[in-house]
Amino acid sequence: MPFRLLRSQPAPSLAAAISTLLFILAVSPAVAVAESAANIGSTNLDGYKLDLDLGDTYEPSFAPFDSSYLGKRANVIGPLVNNVPSTSNLKPGEAACYQIKKTIATDSQASGTNARRFDLAVEAATNSSAGAGILARQDSQKLSIFLSANTCLQPWRVPGADKADMEPPQLTLLISNSSQLGCPDLSMQDTPNIQKQTFEGGAVMFSTNMTEDLFISVQAPNVSSSYQGGYFFELAASTQDYYHRYVGKEGQLLWLDSDASSALLVSKNLTINMDESKRIMEQGMQYQFYIDNELFPRLLGIEHSTCGLKTNAQIYATPNGTGNLNQLVHMTMTTRGPGGFPKQQFFITGLNDTTEYRGIIVQTPNATVAKRDGEGIVGGGGTVFTSTAFNTVSGTSCKMVTDLDFCDEIQYAVPGNVEKFQGNDSILGQTYDDYAKTMYDNFEKVLMLMQCEAPSTKRYSLMKTCDDCRRAYKKWLCTVVMPRCEDYAAADAPHSIVRNAGQPFPNGTRLPAAELALYAGIPASNTSRNNFIDETIAPGPYRELLPCDDLCYEVVQSCPAAMQLSCPLRKNREYPSSYARRDPDNLEVTCNYPGEPRTRVSAAAGVVWNAAFVSAAILLSVGLLW
């Protein structure tokens, strides 16, 4: 649901600048080349032998916030090792060249047979075709090579420059299999045997069957005077799979809900196989989490790059408890929500109100199950998933609650009172939870009078049991005890209704007289759904996203008829202020159902609901169900 956006200032982040500097120093090739060639040696991969030659080295001097950080360049910058990234930097207009040599040799350890071998050697050049003199070996056998690269740093806009929200142009990957052409550049992009891939969001992936030597160039574009600085990137080659990966299809991250200063997001189910659930929960968290403020974006142009996210994100957190301002992100594994399948949950606090954000998750190989090959880990650069947009709202009437003991599927904003609960959302949630548990205990006493343990021929249903009744009633009860709250001042809230309009806000103020007059003749808008909210919580005016009517219909279908439970028909006068219908096209959230995300997903992945509930609806006779 869209919210009205107002500009707000981001929190200053000295930690972000420090983490950027530390990252650049950490990935500097000067550190990588400190180890001698003797310690690295040769690596065998599925019968392919890598002979490594460090060659000459260089030692850049980085100062990430001025133009001197590009340092001095020598001819060779270090080797490409299978599944290990090689880092480099480029001034605008420069190109770095890498060569993968493939040779055939007799391996004495291969039982006298001819073993396939290719050498991964790196040759660097600036605006040149270094390595063009190396002759390709004639060989009909093919070898799959997976190339991937990430932009870690890019030029930044000069303060005050026009169109400061635009990202700089992307790097370009050029591949040639011609030893006569050597290292390609953009002037040769239309030449046969040269393939071109432009980075997208700071990432590129390219695979090919290698029959000749490969020459790989990373070309930096020329940029206007509105930008300062250069590019810093990492490139990796693998014989198994991409070291870096970006998945640009439907997002893996879902936005559940938010209030003025916090938001709750969750990954999609990590499995829908119950036999796998225990193993995945024991394996622990899989995702890193990154946030970008859309009013002051820092990730434009590098949102698909793992190292770009880590270097530039103002807020991010990793499973091992590291990251910039990671204390604002509380990550846990959970099975809450429909189906009870494992997923990773992200609860973020300390956000600005009325602001739009983007959340991005990155999946990295688990150290205990990672597949190693050569000197590195297959896919060790991580998989970046497409971003998920989420908003915070204005006002303090709605507060996020989650991780409740009894109403364990409630994960959204409910009516709150910052004065009464002093901003302690855990106490607010517990107050609601305790009340729901008390109401449920009364229901259990009534259910004890039913023939739940009778033989099948004497039970109230051949399809449903009392356990089905308990589950349906609990879900419905928690949903109506804890209404899904939306800010009263929300500019666009077509599916919610105003509640409690006549009551004062927690700070003592009231709605203007003209607005009060609009709701004077509407009883449903001058009170909450139940007296407990008005008397115990006293939230003041707010909007309620009505519960989905199938929650009520499921109770009627699942519980004994002797309990005389019933639901309002859609044609009844009371229906519009009690329940709402799901969007049949699943394009927007039109009603509240526990676990229903605000991020829309495909119909197949959404919450499955049974249209038969509608045909089973009968007139409601229990007051609280309204």
Side-chain angles (χ1 to χ4, degrees):
M1 183 199 72
F3 293 91
R4 179 167 54 92
L5 299 179
L6 301 176
R7 293 183 65 86
S8 58
Q9 295 298 321
S13 180
L14 177 60
I18 295 174
S19 67
T20 299
L21 177 59
L22 293 177
F23 173 80
I24 296 171
L25 295 176
V27 299
S28 170
V31 178
V33 301
E35 185 177 10
S36 67
N39 289 335
I40 297 180
S42 298
T43 305
N44 286 289
L45 312 167
D46 299 330
Y48 300 98
K49 186 177 181 181
L50 302 181
D51 286 340
L52 309 178
D53 182 9
L54 286 177
D56 298 330
T57 63
Y58 80 114
E59 186 173 352
S61 59
F62 289 101
F65 300 108
D66 59 56
S67 59
S68 67
Y69 87 95
L70 292 171
K72 297 181 179 180
R73 182 180 303 282
N75 289 330
V76 179
I77 61 174
L80 279 179
V81 180
N82 198 36
N83 295 303
V84 175
S86 177
T87 58
S88 184
N89 49 55
L90 295 171
K91 293 179 181 179
E94 287 187 342
C97 181
Y98 302 80
Q99 182 185 10
I100 300 180
K101 294 170 55 180
K102 193 184 74 171
T103 62
I104 295 180
T106 300
D107 192 331
S108 60
Q109 298 182 3
S111 302
T113 62
N114 286 336
R116 295 276 323 241
R117 184 182 70 186
F118 71 93
D119 303 320
L120 289 181
V122 181
E123 303 209 14
T126 301
N127 295 327
S128 69
S129 58
I134 300 176
L135 298 178
R137 275 63 174 178
Q138 298 300 318
D139 180 13
S140 60
Q141 294 178 293
K142 294 181 179 181
L143 173 66
S144 295
I145 294 291
F146 299 88
L147 298 170
S148 61
N150 276 187
T151 303
C152 306
L153 286 175
Q154 60 185 356
W156 60 91
R157 297 290 289 191
V158 175
D162 294 337
K163 300 180 179 179
D165 59 338
M166 295 178 61
E167 69 267 23
Q170 297 279 319
L171 295 169
T172 301
L173 183 73
L174 296 143
I175 303 98
S176 169
N177 63 358
S178 170
S179 59
Q180 302 300 320
L181 295 175
C183 294
D185 57 40
L186 288 176
S187 66
M188 305 160 60
Q189 59 182 306
D190 296 326
T191 305
N193 299 322
I194 292 180
Q195 300 186 68
K196 170 188 171 184
Q197 292 285 329
T198 302
F199 284 49
E200 180 181 347
V204 69
M205 297 184 295
F206 177 84
S207 65
T208 184
N209 289 323
M210 180 178 177
T211 59
E212 306 291 343
D213 289 6
L214 287 183
F215 297 87
I216 305 150
S217 292
V218 177
Q219 175 83 50
N222 290 309
V223 299
S224 70
S225 59
S226 297
Y227 293 97
Q228 289 183 350
Y231 294 85
F232 185 79
F233 69 92
E234 59 181 36
L235 172 72
S238 173
T239 59
Q240 279 69 41
D241 203 348
Y242 295 110
Y243 184 81
H244 315 87
R245 183 178 288 274
Y246 167 67
V247 178
K249 298 180 181 179
E250 189 175 76
Q252 185 70 9
L253 182 67
L254 304 176
W255 170 39
L256 291 181
D257 211 353
S258 58
D259 57 28
S261 61
S262 61
L264 182 66
L265 295 93
V266 66
S267 71
K268 288 184 178 178
N269 294 327
L270 297 175
T271 183
I272 55 174
N273 184 340
M274 293 304 297
D275 295 333
E276 290 288 312
S277 294
K278 182 179 179 181
R279 180 186 61 81
I280 291 177
M281 291 296 291
E282 291 175 348
Q283 185 175 316
M285 294 182 286
Q286 300 185 16
Y287 297 110
Q288 302 171 358
F289 182 71
Y290 299 84
I291 299 176
D292 201 25
N293 186 327
E294 291 292 83
L295 292 178
F296 303 93
R298 302 177 60 166
L299 303 180
L300 287 176
I302 49 176
E303 62 271 23
H304 302 167
S305 164
T306 301
C307 65
L309 294 171
K310 187 174 295 184
T311 308
N312 296 273
Q314 186 178 20
I315 302 174
Y316 80 89
T318 65
N320 60 8
T322 61
N324 191 39
L325 298 178
N326 64 295
Q327 67 273 15
L328 300 180
V329 183
H330 179 61
M331 298 193 300
T332 57
M333 291 293 293
T334 181
T335 56
R336 298 177 188 275
F341 298 114
K343 55 188 71 69
Q344 190 169 333
Q345 177 178 290
F346 312 88
F347 185 59
I348 311 101
T349 59
L351 301 175
N352 299 324
D353 63 359
T354 59
T355 303
E356 185 174 351
Y357 293 88
R358 280 192 304 161
I360 302 173
I361 55 175
V362 177
Q363 188 174 29
T364 55
N366 187 291
T368 60
V369 297
K371 179 182 178 182
R372 291 190 169 272
D373 192 73
E375 295 291 325
I377 297 175
V378 178
T383 300
V384 181
F385 293 90
T386 189
S387 63
T388 295
F390 64 96
N391 300 341
T392 52
V393 301
S394 63
T396 56
S397 294
C398 302
K399 300 301 294 183
M400 282 295 308
V401 296
T402 185
D403 298 333
L404 302 179
D405 292 330
F406 177 69
C407 292
D408 51 359
E409 292 191 49
I410 300 301
Q411 297 177 290
Y412 50 74
V414 300
N417 186 325
V418 293
E419 299 292 333
K420 192 170 185 178
F421 293 93
Q422 298 297 315
N424 194 325
D425 297 342
S426 62
I427 296 179
L428 173 67
Q430 183 178 343
T431 302
Y432 274 110
D433 207 39
D434 291 344
Y435 176 73
K437 182 64 169 61
T438 300
M439 298 297 294
Y440 182 82
D441 290 342
N442 294 332
F443 163 80
E444 279 283 10
K445 294 175 182 177
V446 176
L447 192 61
M448 290 175 63
L449 304 177
M450 303 295 111
Q451 292 181 314
C452 293
E453 307 301 329
S456 58
T457 55
K458 296 183 179 181
R459 290 180 186 174
Y460 68 92
S461 172
L462 295 177
M463 299 294 296
K464 300 290 185 176
T465 67
C466 286
D467 286 339
D468 295 321
C469 176
R470 291 185 180 96
R471 283 190 292 268
Y473 186 84
K474 176 184 174 181
K475 181 176 293 186
W476 168 85
L477 175 66
C478 291
T479 305
V480 297
V481 165
M482 285 177 270
R484 192 160 187 166
C485 180
E486 296 183 340
D487 184 50
Y488 171 81
D492 186 10
H495 303 297
S496 61
I497 67 170
V498 172
R499 295 287 198 188
N500 226 14
Q503 303 302 315
F505 288 100
N507 62 5
T509 62
R510 291 179 178 270
L511 294 177
E515 292 188 39
L516 287 174
L518 296 176
Y519 307 111
I522 308 176
S525 293
N526 283 277
T527 184
S528 294
R529 190 176 196 93
N530 55 77
N531 292 334
F532 163 77
I533 297 176
D534 293 341
E535 296 172 358
T536 305
I537 309 299
Y542 64 94
R543 291 179 177 270
E544 178 189 348
L545 184 66
L546 296 172
C548 298
D549 54 10
D550 50 290
L551 286 167
C552 186
Y553 301 150
E554 186 177 6
V555 176
V556 173
Q557 280 197 328
S558 301
C559 293
M563 298 182 73
Q564 298 184 349
L565 300 173
S566 56
C567 302
L569 293 172
R570 291 172 178 168
K571 65 181 180 181
N572 291 143
R573 181 184 62 183
E574 297 83 359
Y575 179 90
S577 61
S578 302
Y579 294 96
R581 300 177 61 179
R582 290 177 181 270
D583 177 12
D585 298 321
N586 198 40
L587 298 178
E588 56 183 339
V589 178
T590 57
C591 60
N592 181 31
Y593 190 96
E596 183 82 353
R598 290 194 180 274
T599 302
R600 306 320 297 147
V601 296
S602 64
V607 177
V608 179
W609 62 290
N610 191 345
F613 294 151
V614 178
S615 63
I618 56 176
L619 185 61
L620 184 66
S621 62
V622 180
L624 183 59
L625 296 182
W626 284 39

